[in-house]
Amino acid sequence: MPSDRYAGLAAVLGAIRSSSDITQPMLVEQVGLGRSVVAQRVAELEAAGLVVSDGFGPSTGGRAPRRLRLHSEAGYVLGADIATNELVVGVADLSGALLETRHREIDVVDGPEIVIGAVEQLAAELVDEVGAHRSLWSFGVGMPGPVAYDSGEPATMPTLPDWSRHPIRERLAERFGVPVWVDNRTNLSALGERRVNPVAARSRHMIYLGGGYGLGAAVVLDGRIHRGAHGLAGGIDHVPVPGADDVACHCGRTGCLEAVAGRAALVRDGRLLAETAQSPALARVLARTGRIRPVDVTEAAGRGDAAARALLHRSATMIGRSLAILVNVFDPDLVVVGGGVARARAHVLAAIREEIYRLALPSATRDLRIEPSAFDQEIAGITGAVEFALGELFSPDHLPAVLDARSGGATITALDGHVPA
């Protein structure tokens, strides 16, 4: 349990991180601590090089108060977003601003040796490019499936057996010499959403629809990601869909939402529409490329292809029904539609809204907002991975080690056993 001192330091630092124009009197109002305590905490953070002065704020009759800001130039953090078929690695300053990114096409079924090897290569290139060797502070990683948060290892996944319990955290920590945190990429996309979307940032209870290897949802309760006992909270991909008992899922069961409405379902059913000539647009794509991807279905729908539109509408209807269950259980004030689904928002959002409002309790939907993600899905995961790395680094549990390292001029290399000694 962190002491009151470190809880106060984290609260003050968090308020400074989240504001571009804050003074010490404003901090007193925001964090609920006395003026002398806030002054002490600010002084400690300045001595550690985490906070610096940034001019003066408006005077209210006496001496103008100093503006304070995070010393974002003091260090760097790495982030990695591992999706089903794409990898994004980025480096950011301590404010979370992305400085450079690298993209690479991957196939997550190739396994951790190949994929994490690519993460290591791209991250090393970025460290070299920005000169972060001596000022790298932490690394956040998003995985396309459930993660055992305490250990940072991918949870057992029948569809991706090579990934189960792979020591990603230990491997990357040893390679880069910084604390590493790993989580489900849908959770991290939700963190990214809360960073860039003012509506999401104000929400205390949010559901974020995303996707990794399958459909997934992040649940935010009281402003914090709710992961559950085993990192599985929000995993709607294997919720059973009534009337779909004959549809096999890659998990070994039948009738799962992923099997009838997820990425694999769009690929399978889109290909069938192409092969049977029910969708002229998809038939042309199949003839040209030999494959059908979810984005091909979305693009065909955008060109007015009736069969592609019907397929997306059917998927959206089933997704909306499953989200209605989460709305009834968790009673959010906001549902954000992100991930791959957000790219088809013009064809799916209305159907998702309709099913949630139809099936969820009226008291739960009275003031519920259902909105598309506010930013480019290509950077949602990597933005969240960086925010995750910073949030953990500056949390009350880990801030003491950061301050100790800063006061001693050492590198931040060991937090809670996340980095080998």
Side-chain angles (χ1 to χ4, degrees), residues 251-275:
C251 73
R253 297 180 176 86
T254 59
C256 298
L257 179 64
E258 171 66 19
V260 296
R263 180 181 184 276
L266 290 178
V267 170
R268 178 196 65 226
D269 295 343
R271 187 178 185 95
L272 179 62
L273 292 176
E275 292 173 342

Side-chain angles (χ1 to χ4, degrees), residues 341-356:
V341 182
R343 297 188 179 101
R345 68 184 65 178
H347 310 288
V348 302
L349 192 58
I352 290 174
R353 282 179 173 146
E354 180 180 351
E355 291 303 301
I356 293 176

Side-chain angles (χ1 to χ4, degrees), residues 165-239:
R165 305 298 177 186
H166 188 80
I168 295 170
R169 173 187 283 170
E170 289 77 7
R171 176 173 172 175
L172 292 176
E174 183 176 0
R175 172 65 177 80
F176 293 98
V178 296
V180 176
W181 288 281
V182 185
D183 200 0
N184 184 322
R185 68 184 299 264
T186 303
N187 286 344
L188 301 193
S189 293
L191 290 179
E193 189 76 29
R194 287 173 61 79
R195 172 178 166 81
V196 304
N197 181 350
V199 174
R202 290 192 298 269
S203 169
R204 297 296 299 167
H205 309 288
M206 180 182 83
I207 291 172
Y208 177 93
L209 175 69
Y213 193 67
L215 289 167
V219 178
V220 176
L221 299 179
D222 287 323
R224 298 175 63 87
I225 295 291
H226 174 68
R227 296 181 173 87
H230 307 99
L232 302 176
I236 62 172
D237 43 348
H238 298 291
V239 169

Side-chain angles (χ1 to χ4, degrees), residues 57-100:
S59 171
T60 57
R63 186 170 56 182
R66 292 183 301 146
R67 285 195 178 96
L68 301 167
R69 69 171 177 87
L70 182 72
H71 188 194
S72 57
E73 306 89 345
Y76 303 90
V77 296
L78 288 166
D81 177 32
I82 304 172
T84 305
N85 55 7
E86 182 185 25
L87 167 66
V88 183
V89 180
V91 62
D93 64 22
L94 297 186
S95 74
L98 285 167
L99 304 177
E100 296 289 344

